Amino acid sequence: MDGKEPVVATTANLDTLVFTTEEALREYIALYVKIPFVSRLGLLAQTLDFVADAAPGVKEILAVGKVCHEARTGLHDVVVVDAESSGHFVSQVSTPRTIRSLAQVGMLREQTDWMIAMLSDPSVTATVVVTTPEESPVDETIGLVSAIRERANVDVPAVVVNRMPAVAPTSGDDIAPRVVSTLRRRHAIAAGEVGRLAGGLAAGTDVVVAPVLRTNDAVETVVALAASLDLEFGEAL
């Protein structure tokens, strides 16, 4: 927000940004309406706060617009967004199209036009959905991917299946046969759900499997997950 966002340099070449709807609204006004904000005081500021909280679609368009604006500045190589849950996310990314259908001319129409163009370009924007190998999450994921493509026209090149059970070890003196049988059954059920997921997705969406990681060390978890995804994608991460 005019260089005042809470940007945190997490590590070399990696920044994180957290923003609120109010901050995004104030930045939008400052950039396009040219009204500076120095505090929350005043009738206009209070009115804008109310609009951001109450008007349908305002929060969604501000959230999407802020992300698109950051990508459009060219200051970042890649912008990665930890998005909302499935239902909220579809509403957010489809909001520019909804707003454009209501605003036929003017500044708002122009703003939604470039956002839609950015979101619809598969060379610029992509959504990666994360799920687990279970019946309900798989059903939800199949519907989510379809909704993202149809309602928002955003590319979904991959679905990551998290917490995939490992193949059961061979029974031995230190492993009870009943434990081995249970582990094999869990893996078989999970593998069946992964197959059902792959069959339920349209062409062009790959299924990437990430294993269960049994470590409490954050660095070890990241390294192990990166190695697993490296093998799945077939390229260095």
Side-chain angles (χ1 to χ4, degrees), residues 12-97:
N13 299 321
L14 177 62
D15 294 334
T16 60
L17 169 63
V18 179
F19 66 90
T20 65
T21 304
E22 177 190 337
E23 290 168 342
L25 179 57
R26 289 168 182 267
E27 180 178 11
Y28 179 86
I29 296 296
L31 287 173
Y32 298 106
V33 187
K34 308 304 180 184
I35 301 177
F37 285 90
V38 294
S39 71
R40 290 175 55 91
L41 301 179
L43 179 60
L44 181 58
Q46 293 175 15
T47 301
L48 291 173
D49 291 344
F50 172 79
V51 169
D53 289 333
V58 169
K59 284 189 174 182
E60 289 80 4
I61 197 68
L62 287 171
V64 175
K66 173 60 176 173
V67 173
C68 290
H69 171 72
E70 291 296 326
R72 196 186 192 194
T73 63
L75 299 176
H76 318 284
D77 296 324
V78 178
V79 175
V80 179
V81 181
D82 183 11
E84 300 276 0
S85 58
S86 56
H88 291 141
F89 177 72
V90 175
S91 297
Q92 282 184 336
V93 293
S94 59
T95 296
R97 292 181 177 276

Side-chain angles (χ1 to χ4, degrees), residues 107-158:
M107 183 177 65
L108 189 57
R109 172 62 183 248
E110 295 173 359
Q111 296 300 314
T112 54
D113 279 347
W114 70 259
M115 280 191 279
I116 291 170
M118 177 177 288
L119 292 170
S120 302
D121 186 346
S123 68
V124 176
T125 304
T127 298
V128 176
V129 178
V130 180
T131 188
T132 54
E134 301 165 89
E135 183 178 359
S136 293
V138 165
D139 288 339
E140 182 180 2
T141 299
I142 293 172
L144 173 61
V145 172
S146 177
I148 292 173
R149 284 180 159 169
E150 293 176 5
R151 290 175 53 186
N153 195 29
V154 175
D155 187 35
V156 186

Side-chain angles (χ1 to χ4, degrees), residues 187-200:
H187 178 77
I189 293 173
E193 291 300 328
V194 172
R196 190 167 68 87
L197 173 64

